[in-house]
Amino acid sequence: MKFKSVFDIIGPVMIGPSSSHTAGAARIGRVARDLFGRQPKWAKIHLYGSFAETYKGHSTDVAIIGGLLDYDTFDERIKTSFEEAEKVGLDFEFIPETGHVDHPNTARIVLGDERSDMSLMGISIGGGKIEITELNGFPLRLSGNHPAILVVHDDRSGCIANVANCLYKYDINIGHMEVSRKEKGRMALMVIEVDQNVDKEVMDELSELPNITQVTRIAD
């Protein structure tokens, strides 16, 4: 087996006890918060497989809530995230599930506030690494290891080219890109991992492109 870096072997700097059940869980929660774009008011966390069986003993629960509070994996406040959530008015519920999933460390987070809600499914694949596999019903593959832009758009010709041309205009290189849709001609989702963080000016210009419904980003 080949490793890209020493961190693939020893895992991330983190609050323990487990890189997959704690650090990975925190990262799933934090990506969910990033994609939601603000502090949610409520969250329902559905846990599957090993997550469902050991989430209390391995601190998966406090890690996910810490992520929803925008804490990094090494933030000491993860240990007291339940209390911190109460302070900011975040109501949450953990729901262990028994249904079959493709990966044993799987969490589905449904969160929201008075303005909107969002559903996300993520898996912790070991060493603190994660993949986001679904967003609001759209299948995707997002590592969370790189800055990324998510573009919800109408399934129309020219949308992908317009987005790519906008990024080219600002000299933003695309490292990975995929597009999914629920139905031909309806709503679609672009997931674009890039080499640098994308600033507000670019986000605003992307939002003004034809047939674009929503643009969100994940910073490095």
Side-chain angles (χ1 to χ4, degrees), residues 4-220:
K4 294 182 179 179
S5 75
V6 66
F7 293 105
D8 291 342
I9 304 173
I10 65 174
V13 178
M14 65 175 194
I15 302 299
S18 166
S19 61
S20 60
H21 285 69
T22 311
R27 294 195 66 209
I28 292 171
R30 197 175 190 202
V31 168
R33 189 202 183 285
D34 282 348
L35 292 177
F36 191 61
R38 56 190 181 275
Q39 182 64 62
K41 295 294 185 183
W42 57 267
K44 293 186 177 181
I45 302 102
H46 302 259
L47 301 173
Y48 299 84
S50 181
F51 268 5
E53 296 168 1
T54 65
Y55 70 97
K56 291 182 179 180
H58 283 175
S59 300
T60 304
D61 49 2
V62 294
I64 289 179
I65 298 304
L68 291 176
L69 294 172
D70 202 26
Y71 300 164
D72 209 333
T73 56
F74 53 80
D75 196 316
E76 290 285 341
R77 292 175 296 174
I78 285 178
K79 297 176 181 178
T80 58
S81 62
F82 284 7
E83 292 82 359
E84 299 298 326
E86 184 176 357
K87 292 178 184 178
V88 301
L90 171 59
D91 295 323
F92 58 88
E93 177 185 4
F94 285 91
I95 307 169
E97 302 283 5
T98 58
H100 173 74
V101 289
D102 293 334
H103 194 281
N105 298 332
T106 298
R108 178 184 296 278
I109 302 176
V110 184
L111 52 81
D113 59 14
E114 64 280 356
R115 292 161 54 187
S116 64
D117 56 62
M118 186 189 83
S119 172
L120 171 149
M121 180 172 280
I123 60 175
S124 177
I125 59 178
K129 295 176 180 289
I130 67 166
E131 280 190 6
I132 304 303
T133 58
E134 184 182 301
L135 178 65
N136 288 341
F138 287 102
L140 70 153
R141 187 181 61 192
L142 178 65
S143 70
N145 293 327
H146 308 284
I149 309 165
L150 284 80
V151 182
V152 180
H153 61 98
D154 296 332
D155 184 26
R156 299 287 187 271
S157 61
C159 278
I160 297 173
N162 287 339
V163 169
N165 286 334
C166 180
L167 296 179
Y168 171 74
K169 172 183 173 181
Y170 289 94
D171 197 28
I172 296 172
N173 189 51
I174 296 173
H176 174 79
M177 179 177 182
E178 58 182 62
V179 182
S180 60
R181 62 185 181 183
K182 296 180 181 178
E183 185 178 342
K184 181 180 178 181
R186 303 296 292 274
M187 189 176 291
L189 174 69
M190 284 183 236
V191 179
I192 308 168
E193 290 188 339
V194 293
D195 289 345
Q196 65 259 48
N197 288 326
V198 178
D199 61 28
K200 185 177 183 298
E201 180 183 3
V202 181
M203 296 293 290
D204 290 344
E205 186 164 331
L206 288 170
S207 299
E208 294 171 0
L209 292 173
N211 299 308
I212 301 300
T213 303
Q214 182 181 5
V215 183
T216 57
R217 63 183 171 181
I218 298 176
D220 193 4

